[in-house]
Amino acid sequence: MTITEQDQHQQMSLVKEKAAAAPAVIDRMKEHGHEQILFCNDAETGLRAIIAVHDTTLGPALGGTRMWPYHNEAEALEDVLRLSRGMTYKSALAGLDLGGGKAVIIGDARKDKTEAMFRRFGRFVESLNGRYITAEDVGMSTTEMVNIRKETGYVVGLPESMGGSGDPSPVTAYGVYCGMKAAAKTAYGSDDLNKKKVSIQGAGNVGHHLVDLLRKEGASVFLTDIHDDKLAAIKAEHPDVNIVRPDEVIGLDVDIYSPCALGATVNDETIPKLKCSIIAGSANNQLGDEDRHGRMLMEKGILYAPDYLINAGGIINCAWERRGYNRQAALSQTGDIYRTALEIFKRSSEEGIPTFLAANQAAERRIRSIRGAGLSF
Ligand code: NAD
């Protein structure tokens, strides 16, 4: 068939139209220094995924796979770019020899999952030859991790029965607790949490273990969740915990607010209502807008413990799986969060900069010192 000039003209207009609607991917990668993006499509299994490798200066990029019903590809791309960058900073600050990466699968975790889909995804991970190591994240469970493992060894967070590190939540909660104590030491001169009033948003895996640690130390805990069964389970173990409604938690008169449910709960609407002097929780990306809200907290005299600094217990736990899992060693390394957090708070106060910025700068310094040695993975 001969392509006429008119056909060709029509085809080019179509390409231009589509190009105008598509996100400029390499430009977005350049903005924050992402190294590589792998777009994965498999018609037979319905797999549509994006793997982002942000920075491998310190080692292979480790970060979980999230399954989420994104409205479109652009939304999925933005999420994976943001999350993978966060992993670089988290590992760098935790002193791990790992870079930052993340993967997203576009789909509904309640109905779209099949063994074939996750095995196909495992092959895509394998094709990166270890530049990216995956783990569990929102929408994923051990079943999917086991199916991914059938196709690639570049996966961590497997069940203990398979030689893996199992549930990371207790270790994450311990890191948050250490970060909270460091914040208390900085704000009150003592890291004793006895009788301190702590509000926790989210009675999930991390929230539950955090309540255990705080009650053991004699803190007064105010807990909320949108699911009553989660609250009831904790209340049965800790009758002294005060249960509050989800809409009450932000304005409570407490010493410490601990977001352990969702991101972006610290924003224009909530900051004026906060009465706490410390924010220290496990949720990722707590600040709606890192720069603006980080500065607003500093102006209001609230000490913010950056989420990726104090919730690194989970990634530390996963990192130990690669060396031969040892929970005591993982907990001990997680305990270092206390010292790192004290240093970050000190630098923030000495330089008059928000804590998120002091943490970012510390992570960037470590990456630069290794990059200078030309050791990129
Ligand atoms: P989870 O799903 O077990 O618990 C989250 C809880 O928050 C659930 O019980 C849910 O009902 C509740 N929730 C949701 N929306 C809420 C709302 N508006 N108000 C009150 N409660 C609400 O998750 P998790 O493993 O405990 O993780 C908690 C947070 O910490 C997440 O943001 C997660 O990304 C982050 N995180 C977890 C780990 C880990 O090791 N599990 C590691 C790093 C970061």
Side-chain angles (χ1 to χ4, degrees):
M1 196 182 90
T2 332
I3 298 178
T4 64
E5 214 170 283
Q6 195 185 358
D7 285 340
Q8 201 161 359
H9 183 72
Q10 268 178 356
Q11 280 177 19
M12 278 318 291
S13 322
L14 206 67
V15 168
K16 276 188 190 156
E17 210 175 288
K18 288 203 167 177
V25 180
I26 297 181
D27 284 349
R28 294 292 292 115
M29 289 169 75
K30 274 164 77 178
E31 251 173 68
H32 293 297
H34 287 79
E35 289 177 14
Q36 187 178 10
I37 308 275
L38 180 66
F39 291 88
C40 317
N41 172 51
D42 185 59
E44 277 178 30
T45 60
L47 174 73
R48 288 187 303 149
I50 311 175
I51 301 175
V53 173
H54 175 249
D55 190 298
T56 58
T57 306
L58 299 177
L62 196 151
T65 295
R66 174 169 294 195
M67 186 165 186
W68 193 256
Y70 295 102
H71 292 109
N72 52 51
E73 276 170 45
E75 212 178 275
L77 178 67
E78 280 310 307
D79 208 28
V80 80
L81 289 174
R82 185 179 58 87
L83 292 166
S84 55
R85 177 168 171 258
M87 293 309 296
T88 299
Y89 281 74
K90 190 183 289 199
S91 284
L93 273 182
L96 298 170
D97 298 324
L98 290 169
K102 201 87 180 179
V104 294
I105 296 179
I106 303 170
D108 187 334
R110 283 165 305 179
K111 48 182 201 217
D112 295 340
K113 289 175 175 176
T114 59
E115 175 184 346
M117 173 187 276
F118 290 95
R119 291 185 67 159
R120 188 71 190 94
F121 177 70
R123 288 199 192 173
F124 279 111
V125 172
E126 177 69 14
S127 74
L128 289 170
N129 276 319
R131 277 177 59 74
Y132 170 66
I133 301 164
T134 197
E136 198 175 314
D137 197 66
V138 176
M140 301 287 277
S141 74
T142 313
T143 310
E144 286 76 61
M145 302 325 289
V146 170
N147 284 328
I148 293 170
R149 178 69 184 86
K150 290 175 187 169
E151 304 296 336
T152 183
Y154 300 119
V155 49
V156 289
L158 292 165
E160 284 167 281
S161 59
M162 289 181 71
S165 55
D167 177 12
S169 311
V171 187
T172 301
Y174 179 60
V176 171
Y177 167 74
C178 293
M180 199 180 273
K181 281 179 85 66
K185 174 91 183 151
T186 305
Y188 313 126
S190 159
D191 65 13
D192 189 357
L193 298 175
N194 183 27
K195 299 212 163 53
K196 286 281 179 269
K197 289 194 245 168
V198 184
S199 62
I200 303 179
Q201 182 182 43
N205 294 320
V206 177
H208 196 148
H209 292 289
L210 187 58
V211 173
D212 294 343
L213 292 163
L214 290 172
R215 283 302 302 134
K216 204 169 161 197
E217 192 160 331
S220 173
V221 173
F222 297 78
L223 183 66
T224 193
D225 201 286
I226 47 171
H227 291 119
D228 290 343
D229 56 331
K230 303 272 182 134
L231 294 167
I234 298 180
K235 184 82 178 165
E237 278 175 46
H238 301 284
D240 292 343
V241 162
N242 307 284
I243 304 296
V244 297
R245 289 195 323 267
D247 61 351
E248 274 180 309
V249 74
I250 295 293
L252 282 181
D253 192 0
V254 291
D255 300 296
I256 302 169
Y257 162 52
S258 184
C260 295
L262 311 164
T265 63
V266 181
N267 53 43
D268 289 336
E269 202 187 309
T270 57
I271 293 175
K273 296 182 191 153
L274 287 169
K275 299 198 179 89
C276 58
S277 40
I278 290 171
I279 298 177
S282 73
N284 287 312
N285 304 314
Q286 288 163 27
L287 303 178
D289 178 303
E290 184 177 73
D291 191 64
R292 196 153 55 86
H293 296 132
R295 288 177 195 281
M296 276 170 77
L297 289 177
M298 187 171 80
E299 278 158 26
K300 200 172 167 175
I302 296 178
L303 180 60
Y304 169 62
D307 43 40
Y308 59 90
L309 163 66
I310 70 166
N311 74 9
I315 187 111
I316 292 171
N317 202 51
C318 283
W320 272 96
E321 185 171 327
R322 284 169 40 81
R323 300 192 216 170
Y325 188 58
N326 178 333
R327 174 140 301 202
Q328 272 322 308
L331 282 168
S332 161
Q333 190 174 0
T334 300
D336 291 345
I337 287 175
Y338 179 86
R339 187 183 41 79
T340 312
L342 281 182
E343 281 166 18
I344 300 287
F345 298 146
K346 185 163 172 266
R347 191 175 273 265
S348 147
S349 144
E350 283 173 358
E351 297 186 10
I353 56 172
T355 52
F356 82 84
L357 195 57
N360 285 358
Q361 289 176 355
E364 284 158 9
R365 267 195 305 278
R366 177 160 183 244
I367 293 167
R368 264 200 312 274
S369 73
I370 302 299
R371 189 174 287 147
L375 290 171
S376 267
F377 186 73

